[in-house]
Amino acid sequence: MSIAGPPEVRPANGLAIDFVVVPDRAQLGEIVQRVRDGRLRTNIGNVSTLDDAVAAFNPTEWITGKTIISVRP
């Protein structure tokens, strides 16, 4: 899941695009099944707790992959 908004600075060419993706239960289920079957791989770089979220998004070293914030213990 991503949370994004319109760009704060307008691009030099004057074109900015903002969009919203509406989740679809069937499509999300298909993605889960592909991950389980090994047909789709994830690239997770770091998993942190909600308490450590600020530090997770300000790493002291380069991290390859997505940062995951776990909101449940």
Side-chain angles (χ1 to χ4, degrees):
M1 173 190 314
S2 294
I3 300 172
E8 293 181 17
V9 178
R10 191 159 185 82
N13 67 2
L15 178 64
I17 299 172
D18 186 27
F19 65 92
V20 176
V21 177
V22 178
D24 178 279
R25 186 176 184 91
Q27 289 176 342
L28 292 173
E30 176 65 23
I31 291 171
V32 168
Q33 192 59 50
R34 288 179 186 210
V35 170
R36 288 180 178 158
D37 292 346
R39 294 181 287 151
L40 181 65
R41 293 185 358 209
T42 58
N43 185 7
I44 298 173
N46 184 24
V47 179
S48 295
T49 64
L50 187 56
D51 292 337
D52 296 328
V54 172
F57 285 107
N58 293 299
T60 57
E61 61 187 46
W62 182 262
I63 297 173
T64 301
K66 298 294 184 179
T67 297
I68 306 299
I69 303 300
S70 176
V71 295
R72 295 184 183 153

